[in-house]
Amino acid sequence: MSGQRRPLAGRPLTEPHPSRLPPEHPDRARILAAHAAALAAGDAGYPDPATGLFVLSAGFLARRGTCCGRGCRHCPYVDD
């Protein structure tokens, strides 16, 4: 996947692929709220609610235009 130009996945940028953020993840609601706020503000990302680590938003990753292949939580290119 690294560096490949690919079409965006067929889901909204607000919805991460279940392999990257499973529906049963204990912090899912807080993560999705933080991500939605970052998308709305046009920010590159947000601090993870549990760890404080910086997580890139799907909007930022989509604007970049390629998949880096590093397993980003909100990768807008993962479709399978």
Side-chain angles (χ1 to χ4, degrees):
M1 263 198 254
S2 184
Q4 291 181 343
R5 289 208 173 269
R6 299 174 51 178
L8 295 177
R11 65 178 187 286
L13 292 179
T14 56
E15 187 59 37
H17 191 275
S19 69
R20 303 294 172 90
L21 184 63
E24 65 276 1
H25 191 288
D27 290 319
R28 183 176 171 87
R30 292 188 323 149
I31 289 168
L32 292 179
H35 183 246
L39 285 174
D43 293 341
Y46 62 93
D48 181 270
T51 66
L53 297 173
F54 191 75
V55 179
L56 295 172
S57 75
F60 173 83
L61 296 168
R63 286 189 299 274
R64 189 168 60 186
T66 61
C67 175
C68 67
R70 293 188 178 151
C72 299
R73 176 184 284 165
H74 299 287
C75 181
Y77 302 100
V78 176
D79 207 14
D80 48 308

